[in-house]
Amino acid sequence: MSANRYGHQLGQALMEAGMTQLSFSFDAHVSPESVSAYKNGRAIAPPDIKSKSILLTDNPFLSIAAAHESTAGTSPAILDGENVELNRHTVVAKTVEEMEELLAAIKRVQPILLKPPSNFTTQERQQVEELIQETLDVVTSATNMAAVITKETKLSWIAQWTKHKTKLVKRGFMKMVKGGAS
């Protein structure tokens, strides 16, 4: 895993968007030297620059990298290891596999979760941890699947998230915060 995932993705996103470092620096209100430092890992981009870079490029992998870096690695990462093939066919198949594993883990752990956590045995705690790991596998796989499909079909990553948030607000699952991103 690259130590500077956001910087690498920023360079890739700018290239794919047909933007130069200079044009990005003007649009993001940051110096060209700063852009170079972000790309090369000499500096960490502040949150406002990360947000602007996502808005300017609408690149799903830049968004994933920015979130992963900004949350101390506690959000989905880009799956780009040597055993990964990122295309819509393989990411769908892998996500289905991960979801089936999660469903099996839920069925195993559901009876355990009916009792208070303070009464879990060591083995039950392990099963709960396995459930959490299977859940994170699905979150990571599904996020990468959405990114790959969005990119391959040339749909807007930002528009997809906007639709998703609108649906969640409409259903009462999420509150809309006035004056800020939700």
Side-chain angles (χ1 to χ4, degrees):
M1 185 183 285
S2 165
N4 183 26
R5 182 71 48 120
Y6 172 80
H8 171 76
Q9 289 299 323
L10 176 60
Q12 187 73 29
L14 293 178
M15 183 182 70
E16 290 172 9
M19 295 181 80
T20 64
Q21 281 185 202
L22 185 61
S23 66
F24 175 75
S25 71
F26 286 132
D27 292 342
H29 307 291
V30 65
S31 72
E33 294 79 17
S34 292
V35 177
S36 176
Y38 304 148
K39 282 178 51 182
N40 296 314
R42 293 188 314 271
I44 295 174
D48 64 318
I49 299 303
K50 288 178 182 172
S51 291
K52 286 177 186 175
S53 69
I54 295 161
L55 291 171
L56 290 168
T57 65
D58 197 11
N59 186 295
F61 291 104
L62 180 61
S63 179
I64 294 169
H68 191 73
E69 183 179 290
S70 297
T71 60
T74 61
S75 66
I78 297 168
L79 298 176
D80 64 355
E82 59 197 36
N83 293 325
V84 174
E85 181 68 36
L86 284 182
N87 63 62
R88 65 189 181 281
H89 308 290
T90 56
V91 295
V92 167
K94 184 62 177 169
T95 301
V96 167
E97 176 187 321
E98 295 295 355
M99 289 178 151
E100 288 170 347
E101 290 174 5
L102 174 58
L103 186 56
I106 289 170
K107 288 177 180 179
R108 279 191 307 273
V109 174
Q110 199 168 15
I112 296 168
L113 296 176
L114 294 175
K115 63 184 187 179
S118 59
N119 292 340
F120 290 173
T121 66
T122 301
Q123 182 183 9
E124 289 170 334
R125 280 190 140 344
Q126 281 181 309
Q127 288 179 289
V128 170
E129 188 172 333
E130 288 170 14
L131 170 65
I132 293 167
Q133 289 302 309
E134 291 295 344
T135 302
L136 296 177
D137 287 347
V138 168
V139 170
T140 299
S141 182
T143 300
N144 277 266
M145 180 184 75
V148 167
I149 293 172
T150 299
K151 198 166 182 180
E152 286 190 14
T153 58
K154 299 188 182 348
L155 291 168
S156 167
W157 181 251
I158 294 168
Q160 296 310 307
W161 277 102
T162 301
K163 283 181 181 181
H164 179 62
K165 288 184 289 189
T166 300
K167 176 179 66 179
L168 294 176
V169 170
K170 186 176 180 181
R171 292 180 180 174
F173 296 146
M174 184 175 142
K175 292 180 182 177
M176 184 56 72
V177 178
K178 289 183 171 56
S182 297

